[in-house]
Amino acid sequence: MEPLQPPDTGLFPLFIGNKGSKPDFGNARISLGAMGDSFYEYLLKVWLQGGKKEDNYRRMYDKAMDGVHKYLVQEQPGVLTYIAEMNNGRINRKMDHLSCFMG
């Protein structure tokens, strides 16, 4: 099976399909809330628990966090800052309750 290439943004959709000869992204919804938070958490954990030897996981984590800051962190100056979701490249200005653990 061919490896799945990460998106340029570093942010991975919630679902990955594996029904064909090559895995593909099952949708274009990106969230650090329910169903998405653990993926990003485990990128860093795998790197740490593996003795910091598998640098690809650290690079994926770093690129993802860059993507979070570039695309998902939203601000209303002086009012609030939150982590939005994205679907098909468009920002959904809502924050899932599990995203609060990103801080």
Side-chain angles (χ1 to χ4, degrees):
M1 184 177 283
E2 293 180 40
L4 186 60
Q5 295 301 311
D8 291 335
T9 62
L11 301 171
F12 287 82
L14 293 180
F15 298 105
I16 297 175
N18 64 351
K19 294 190 183 210
S21 61
K22 181 180 176 186
D24 63 349
F25 295 116
N27 67 10
R29 183 169 169 235
I30 296 168
S31 174
L32 271 70
M35 300 190 311
D37 58 330
S38 296
F39 174 78
Y40 299 101
E41 173 187 341
Y42 277 93
L43 287 176
L44 187 59
K45 281 184 177 180
V46 167
W47 177 70
L48 289 169
Q49 292 176 347
K52 301 180 182 179
K53 294 179 182 173
E54 297 184 69
D55 291 332
N56 58 317
Y57 292 109
R58 179 58 197 250
R59 283 191 301 273
M60 288 171 67
Y61 176 80
D62 289 341
K63 188 171 182 178
M65 293 304 104
D66 288 344
V68 167
H69 287 275
K70 184 173 182 179
Y71 299 103
L72 301 182
V73 173
Q74 302 291 306
E75 276 188 80
Q76 290 181 335
V79 180
L80 68 111
T81 301
Y82 64 98
I83 300 172
E85 296 183 353
M86 187 183 294
N87 196 3
N88 292 314
R90 298 185 72 190
I91 294 295
N92 184 1
R93 299 187 186 283
K94 73 172 218 50
M95 181 172 165
D96 188 279
H97 70 287
L98 290 175
S99 298
C100 68
F101 294 106
M102 287 302 297

